[in-house]
């Protein structure tokens, strides 16, 4: 047969996975996982995942594809994907510094100066410095470039004033990767700057925002004459849009990398439930409608996994994620919502029970998932914005707005 | 890990595209489709000369001995061109059945005829109840050896009208029976069943004590049918993918040029989002279709689930892409002159062929739930 598309791991990738599995086996993962299950609040879970991250960092596994000189492992993007998959498969706690590792770090690697890389990257990986991302504002969500938080030059400093919203991890972050306006006269995309702001600076105020699930993953952050060293500009002044786009593409790609493993696990979990939940006097798994819907979920998880592999092949060759990331983001976020609805239908009246109720299946995760997944088609760019991106940048259709 | 076609596979695919653009443009598709039994002998001969009709089979039978991934790449181009005629029925269906179940002698005669392009063939499975599958087959086989005879009727037999021989699924003394019938055999009648797809026709087949050659019985017959179902579905979804890709391209092109309210309709978001959804479906199926082919080539345990994943998705997605494409074209999309309905007709026929979405989802359910 001709040389063909090849979905097996290379010897090097296999070794990478073996090494990782060995490390995981010796890491006492069981008790980390059990401990995580006992953590009830967002704060407790965060603290636990932070100690886990430090452990992963010391083991040399944080920042798999990051350069070695900044604390990374210097491996390939493909190996990074293997890492994410393995961690998800092992149900390891997440690494606490989600935004730092997934978004800010890669952006600093791509656009930062040598000093910035040395200064910030190791702290991101070790978890010593937690990051958040301050892009959205009350008046600027999808239309991100309309943001008004201003940064006025004052000698070696910028003075920042404004209001950011929906800042995930704002309540615990040491640093904020911000998009600010440095030139109010320029066209809206041309007057923006990407600025790294110390959250302990005088004039920064954080307030939790409660979301529909009842928790507060995100916050609003106020800036009142906050002085930021000019050395904290990432990329060039007024070139922040280009830097931010690079972040957003990473966001779309990294967010999804290991999700199919999580989806497959939740699917299996629901199938197990379906053996005992009864429909019309028979196990739900024997119900023809439920069977059709579960099979559809299975097919979609598989298709998502495979499409992810194709995207990874491209990123591995070119080094940069492209607008195709939008297709993946549309696919998984909308799938996840459909899946939760199928779960709901399978579980029947029990689906609505929350964690406070001892009768709730799986500790109330289905009622929670039903609500939480509504955020999936909003966070990291709404489904509508993703479709605009595909139309404009994949298909070359004229801008619609 | 590399999930993309290799350079050689790409080359094969692009030369197939060039060939079909030249030899089978839409004008030619329309000409062939107006003939009583859509098939063009000259085109078939040229395809055979390039080895297409033997793509999957060993060189002993005039084949190229390539894999399913290469076959999928070719089928994608055929679907894109809306190639009329019995390729699917002949090669991934009849050819694979013979290749799997036939003895050396049968293969030397009949498979070689397929590989060389001398013969076209069809597979007769479904009957009046129209169910896909061979569990309920009623058509009976009597006698044995030289006296094997078939009695009964078949429905929905793809391209039987241009087939030189048929592979018929029957039930006989030794259970499930796979028999080969020459087109000229006595007591064989083949009648058109006018269907929605104009480029590939359906027929009913009547066997009235029709002499036949035994190919396989029992488990061997069943295994061969299962393998055919796997490979033919993998070929079909790749073909559907090609059609979907073409409908997307035609529609995006139209959205860029058709103007209303002083601007290209492709500037309206309602149109853009339809286009984006079409891209999503095309890319999703591309992943599923090539993985199915890959899983078959590598004998993966997941091959069956992968094929049913692809076919259940393709069955809905091709139709939906067609819906969007027609809507984007407005009144123009509703005309006979537009090529869209030709693809749309193919989409509907392909959706039903070899098991519809619900049938394949039930296969998945059996594999992953039970
Ligand atoms: C759980 C969660 C976590 C988040 N975390 C962060 C974070 O850490 N940092 C951060 O900066 N932001 C964060 N966000 C904010 C998120 O990026 C924005 O909510 C998102 O970009 C949408 O902006 P918006 O909320 O202002 O909605 P709007 O932009 O007002 O959109 C409202 C509706 O209008 C539609 N719409 C808007 N413009 C268009 C258009 N051009 N074409 C078609 N439809 C359009 C949208 O799709 C949406 O349906 C988070 C959001 C969520 C839900």
């Amino acid at each position: 047969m001709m040389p063909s598309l090849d979905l097996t791991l290379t010897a090097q990738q296999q070794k990478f996975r073996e090494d990782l599995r060995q490390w995981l086996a010796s890491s006492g993962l069981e008790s980390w996982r059990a401990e995580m299950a006992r953590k009830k609040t967002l704060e407790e879970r965060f603290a636990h995942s932070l100690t886990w991250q430090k452990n992963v960092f010391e083991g040399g596994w944080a920042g798999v594809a990051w350069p070695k000189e900044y604390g990374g492992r210097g491996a390939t993007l493909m190996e990074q994907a293997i890492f994410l998959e393995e961690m998800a498969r092992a149900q390891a706690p997440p690494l606490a510094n989600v935004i730092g590792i997934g978004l800010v770090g890669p952006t600093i690697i791509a656009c930062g100066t040598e000093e910035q890389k040395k200064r910030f990257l190791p702290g991101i990986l070790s978890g010593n410095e937690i990051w958040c991302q301050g892009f959205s504002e009350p008046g600027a969500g999808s239309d991100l470039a309309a943001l008004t938080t201003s940064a006025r030059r004052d000698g070696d400093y910028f003075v920042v004033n404004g209001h950011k919203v929906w800042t995930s991890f704002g309540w615990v972050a040491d640093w904020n990767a911000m998009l600010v306006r440095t030139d109010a006269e320029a066209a809206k995309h041309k007057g923006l700057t990407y600025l790294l702001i110390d959250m302990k600076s005088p004039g920064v105020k954080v307030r939790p925002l409660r979301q529909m699930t009842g928790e507060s993953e995100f916050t609003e952050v106020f800036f009142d004459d906050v002085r930021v060293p000019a050395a904290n500009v990432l990329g060039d002044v007024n070139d922040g849009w280009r830097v931010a786009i690079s972040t957003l593409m990473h966001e779309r790609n990294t967010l999804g990398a290991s999700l199919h493993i999580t989806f497959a696990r939740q699917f299996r979990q629901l199938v197990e439930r379906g053996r005992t939940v009864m429909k019309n006097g028979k196990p739900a798994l024997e119900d023809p409608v439920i069977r059709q819907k579960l099979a559809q979920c299975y097919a979609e998880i598989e298709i998502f996994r495979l499409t992810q592999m194709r995207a990874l092949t491209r990123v591995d060759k070119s080094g940069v994620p492209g607008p195709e990331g939008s297709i993946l983001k549309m696919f998984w976020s909308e799938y996840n919502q459909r899946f939760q609805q199928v779960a709901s239908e399978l579980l029947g009246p029990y689906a609505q029970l929350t964690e406070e109720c001892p009768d709730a299946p799986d500790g109330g995760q289905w009622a929670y998932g039903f609500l939480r997944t509504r955020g999936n088609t909003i966070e990291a760019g709404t489904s509508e914005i993703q479709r605009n991106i595909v139309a404009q940048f994949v298909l070359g259709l004229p801008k619609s707005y | 890990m590399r999930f993309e076609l290799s350079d050689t596979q790409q080359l094969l695919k692009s030369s197939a595209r060039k060939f079909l653009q030249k030899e089978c443009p839409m004008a030619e598709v329309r000409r062939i489709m107006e003939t009583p039994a859509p098939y063009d002998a000259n085109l078939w001969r040229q395809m055979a000369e390039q080895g297409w009709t033997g793509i999957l089979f060993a060189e002993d039978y005039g084949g190229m001995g390539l894999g399913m991934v290469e076959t999928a790449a070719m089928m994608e181009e055929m679907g894109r061109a809306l190639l009329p005629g019995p390729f699917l029925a002949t090669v991934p269906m009849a050819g694979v059945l013979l290749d799997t179940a036939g003895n050396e002698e049968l293969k030397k005669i009949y498979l070689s005829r397929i590989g060389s392009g001398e013969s076209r063939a069809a597979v007769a499975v479904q009957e009046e109840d129209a169910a896909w599958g061979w569990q309920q087959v009623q058509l009976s086989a009597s006698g044995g050896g030289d006296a094997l005879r078939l009695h009964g009727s078949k429905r929905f037999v793809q391209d039987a009208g241009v087939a030189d021989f048929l592979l018929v699924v029957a039930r006989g003394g030794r259970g499930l029976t796979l028999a080969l019938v020459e087109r000229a055999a006595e007591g064989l009648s083949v009648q058109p069943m006018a269907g929605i797809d104009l480029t590939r026709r359906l027929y009913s087949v009547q066997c009235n004590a029709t002499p036949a050659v035994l190919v396989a019985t029992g488990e061997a017959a069943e295994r061969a049918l299962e393998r055919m179902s796997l490979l033919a579905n993998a070929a079909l979804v790749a073909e559907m993918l090609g059609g979907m890709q073409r409908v997307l391209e035609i529609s995006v092109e139209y959205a860029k040029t058709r103007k209303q309210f002083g601007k290209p309709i492709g500037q309206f978001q309602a149109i853009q989002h339809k286009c984006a959804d079409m891209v999503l479906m095309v890319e999703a199926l591309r992943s599923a279709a090539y993985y199915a082919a890959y899983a078959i080539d590598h004998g993966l345990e997941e091959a069956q689930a992968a094929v049913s994943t692809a076919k259940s998705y393709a069955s809905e997605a091709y139709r939906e892409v067609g819906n969007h494409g027609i809507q984007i074209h407005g009144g123009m999309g509703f005309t006979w002159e537009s090529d869209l309905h030709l693809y749309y007709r193919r989409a509907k026929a392909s959706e039903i062929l070899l098991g519809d979405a619900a049938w394949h989802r039930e296969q998945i359910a059996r594999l992953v739930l039970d």
Side-chain angles (χ1 to χ4, degrees):
Chain A
M1 227 173 67
M2 295 188 191
S4 179
L5 92 168
D6 180 7
L7 305 186
T8 56
L9 299 184
T10 63
Q12 184 193 323
Q13 288 162 352
Q14 245 162 8
K15 167 140 192 349
F16 175 89
R17 191 172 65 178
E18 272 321 303
D19 291 348
L20 175 57
R21 282 183 178 171
Q22 257 171 31
W23 180 79
L24 276 173
S26 66
S27 70
L29 188 59
E30 282 296 323
S31 58
W32 284 99
R33 212 180 334 172
E35 188 60 26
M36 194 67 175
R38 278 193 290 277
K39 305 292 183 195
K40 285 287 171 241
T41 66
L42 209 58
E43 289 78 4
E44 285 172 353
R45 282 203 295 273
F46 179 84
H48 187 62
S49 65
L50 185 55
T51 45
W52 167 248
Q53 177 173 341
K54 291 192 187 317
N55 190 36
V56 171
F57 175 69
E58 275 151 28
W61 291 99
V64 171
W66 294 21
K68 278 194 179 135
E69 61 258 49
Y70 312 120
R73 203 179 175 85
T76 62
L77 286 172
M78 208 62 98
E79 284 161 337
Q80 171 166 295
I82 294 171
F83 169 81
L84 291 170
E85 283 192 8
E86 284 301 313
M87 296 299 261
R89 197 167 282 133
Q91 295 189 53
L95 301 189
N97 209 357
V98 176
I99 306 273
I101 292 178
L103 306 175
V104 183
T107 311
I108 293 178
I109 292 171
C111 308
T113 63
E114 193 50 38
E115 280 84 74
Q116 287 169 334
K117 291 180 194 174
K118 285 209 186 89
R119 164 65 190 83
F120 291 113
L121 295 178
I124 291 177
L125 291 183
S126 66
N128 282 341
E129 288 176 340
I130 300 300
W131 285 76
C132 63
Q133 170 177 297
F135 283 12
S136 308
E137 296 183 4
S142 301
D143 188 8
L144 182 56
L147 63 87
T148 57
T149 293
S150 68
R152 181 174 44 81
R153 186 78 189 231
D154 180 14
D156 285 344
Y157 285 83
F158 281 95
V159 181
V160 177
N161 281 285
H163 177 193
K164 295 285 180 183
V165 286
W166 323 130
T167 310
S168 304
F169 298 98
W171 47 277
V172 70
D174 303 292
W175 284 86
N176 192 337
M178 297 257 294
L179 208 50
V180 294
R181 183 160 304 284
T182 35
D183 184 348
E185 306 301 311
K188 67 179 181 179
H189 295 87
K190 301 250 164 74
L192 302 177
T193 298
Y194 196 108
L195 196 58
L196 311 176
I197 300 185
D198 186 342
M199 291 288 277
K200 289 183 265 314
S201 312
V204 176
K205 199 169 88 207
V206 182
R207 275 219 315 249
L209 283 173
R210 196 160 183 220
Q211 63 207 38
M212 67 186 272
T213 53
E215 316 154 289
S216 299
E217 287 172 82
F218 51 37
T219 57
E220 56 185 335
V221 188
F222 298 89
F223 299 85
D224 184 11
D225 280 335
V226 178
R227 294 181 71 77
V228 182
N232 288 8
V233 169
L234 192 64
D236 292 328
V237 173
N238 293 332
D239 196 27
W241 185 251
R242 200 181 52 84
V243 180
I245 289 294
S246 136
T247 298
L248 294 176
M249 299 243 213
H250 278 290
E251 187 172 26
R252 265 156 226 153
N253 274 267
T254 49
L255 256 178
S258 63
L259 268 177
H260 67 92
I261 308 263
T262 311
F263 289 163
R265 183 168 56 245
Q266 290 176 347
F267 175 78
R268 298 282 10 147
Q269 206 178 356
L270 184 62
V271 169
E272 285 315 309
R273 289 265 149 213
R275 294 187 203 290
T276 48
V277 172
M278 302 298 276
K279 290 254 178 255
N280 304 314
K282 281 194 291 191
L285 287 194
E286 291 173 28
D287 181 89
V289 175
I290 295 287
R291 288 172 77 77
Q292 286 283 314
K293 291 189 176 184
L294 285 173
Q296 178 70 24
C297 290
Y298 171 89
E300 291 186 22
I301 298 170
E302 271 298 278
I303 288 174
F304 172 56
R305 172 178 79 90
L306 298 164
T307 309
Q308 186 87 49
M309 281 165 91
R310 286 176 53 220
L312 201 57
T313 304
R314 271 195 307 271
V315 176
D316 195 46
K317 267 168 67 172
S318 67
V320 281
E324 299 86 357
S326 289
I327 298 170
L328 284 168
K329 209 269 159 168
M330 277 157 68
F331 196 98
W332 76 252
S333 57
E334 292 169 13
Y335 159 76
N336 208 11
Q337 294 175 348
R338 287 192 288 271
F339 171 72
Q340 294 297 334
Q341 177 57 23
V342 172
S344 220
E345 288 171 27
L346 187 153
L347 295 167
Y350 283 93
Q352 65 194 309
L353 299 178
T354 62
E355 71 176 330
E356 292 88 43
C357 177
D359 292 330
D362 300 308
Q365 82 164 59
W366 303 105
Y368 174 79
F370 178 74
L371 296 173
R372 180 60 184 86
T373 51
R374 294 326 302 175
N376 292 162
T377 48
I378 299 168
E379 57 197 330
T382 67
S383 278
E384 291 74 24
I385 293 300
Q386 308 298 348
R387 282 175 169 78
N388 292 347
I389 292 172
V390 172
Q392 233 181 297
F393 299 103
V394 177
L395 298 176
L397 291 166
K399 192 173 176 185
S400 66
Y401 48 94
Chain B
M1 197 220 59
R2 204 190 61 215
F3 197 156
E4 60 181 2
L5 293 180
S6 68
D7 291 347
T8 349
Q9 289 162 339
Q10 269 304 344
L11 202 66
L12 188 77
K13 189 163 180 284
S14 53
S15 65
R17 178 172 303 187
K18 280 201 204 91
F19 170 81
L20 289 166
Q21 272 168 351
K22 185 159 163 286
E23 304 300 333
C24 190
M26 281 318 279
E28 188 63 5
V29 172
R30 283 180 182 264
R31 185 192 64 78
I32 297 172
M33 127 197 147
E34 302 289 354
T35 61
Y39 149 71
D40 184 79
N42 186 40
L43 185 56
W44 193 268
R45 189 182 43 73
Q46 283 178 280
M47 281 162 45
E49 275 164 12
Q50 303 185 60
W52 292 13
T53 47
I55 186 162
L56 275 166
F57 314 123
E59 286 173 24
D60 293 359
Y61 315 111
M64 295 216 290
L66 295 180
M68 207 49 225
V69 172
E70 288 79 17
T71 305
M74 301 267 296
M75 295 294 305
E76 189 189 332
E77 292 307 322
M78 294 183 202
R80 178 190 177 84
L82 206 65
L83 174 74
F87 190 88
L88 188 81
T90 304
V91 180
M93 291 183 69
V96 166
L97 256 189
L98 265 177
D99 193 31
T100 314
N103 63 25
E104 198 47 40
E105 198 193 333
L106 275 175
K107 289 208 269 189
K108 271 269 183 271
I109 303 171
Y110 292 99
L111 192 55
S112 300
R113 275 166 57 180
I114 287 177
S116 68
E118 189 188 330
S119 297
R120 276 124 325 267
V123 178
V125 182
Q126 283 148 286
E127 299 183 353
E128 199 177 357
D129 72 356
W132 172 245
W134 35 90
Q135 281 73 27
Q136 313 299 326
V137 162
Q138 303 278 321
L139 184 141
S140 70
S142 69
D146 288 347
L148 184 67
R149 293 276 190 278
L150 301 183
H151 322 264
S153 64
K154 292 285 182 185
R155 299 276 167 93
F156 303 100
V157 185
Q158 175 120 329
D159 287 315
V162 293
D164 300 290
F165 58 86
L166 304 173
L167 287 158
V168 181
V169 185
R171 196 160 297 283
R174 282 186 285 170
L176 196 66
T177 300
L178 196 57
L180 189 150
V181 177
E182 294 273 2
R183 180 65 182 82
E186 73 192 67
L188 182 75
S189 133
V190 175
Q191 296 298 329
M193 294 175 82
I196 202 166
D197 185 358
L198 305 172
T199 58
R200 245 173 2 204
R201 296 282 167 86
L202 298 171
Y203 297 84
S204 67
V205 171
Q206 195 77 36
C207 295
N208 199 350
T210 304
V213 179
L214 183 70
V215 179
T217 57
E219 237 180 77
E222 193 141 343
R223 269 204 314 276
L225 284 161
E226 273 163 14
R227 187 171 149 75
M228 177 201 78
S229 180
L230 213 59
L231 271 65
N233 265 303
L236 176 58
V237 294
E239 190 192 66
M240 293 168 85
L241 170 65
M244 281 165 67
Q245 174 81 46
R246 187 70 195 125
V247 172
L248 167 67
E249 287 169 17
I250 296 172
S251 304
V252 170
E253 191 49 43
Y254 191 77
K256 284 179 184 173
T257 46
R258 167 71 178 168
K259 289 204 173 113
Q260 284 296 281
F261 301 95
K263 40 179 137 163
I265 55 163
Q267 199 167 339
F268 302 125
Q269 211 164 63
I271 299 292
Q272 289 203 347
H273 287 194
K274 281 197 163 57
C275 292
D277 284 333
M278 291 162 88
V279 173
L280 181 142
M281 287 184 269
V282 169
E283 291 309 317
L285 181 60
R286 187 174 298 286
S287 307
Y290 280 98
Y291 181 65
Y294 173 87
I296 290 171
D297 279 345
H298 292 260
L300 301 189
E301 210 185 306
E302 302 95 283
Q304 230 188 320
V307 165
S308 282
T309 290
K311 182 57 172 48
S312 62
Y313 193 84
S315 292
E316 317 243 38
Y318 195 178
R319 185 189 66 236
E320 189 64 8
V321 161
N323 289 339
H324 284 350
I326 292 169
Q327 188 68 21
I328 288 169
H329 278 73
M332 190 58 85
F334 193 65
T335 61
W336 185 265
E337 178 195 337
S338 160
D339 291 334
L340 285 172
H341 75 104
L342 302 181
Y343 285 94
Y344 195 59
R345 288 161 177 275
R346 173 69 73 83
K348 176 46 86 178
S350 302
E351 171 188 338
I352 296 165
L353 186 62
L354 302 171
D356 64 8
W359 189 89
H360 281 281
R361 280 194 293 262
E362 176 56 25
Q363 304 311 302
I364 294 174
R366 286 177 197 180
L367 291 164
V368 305
L369 303 183
D370 297 345

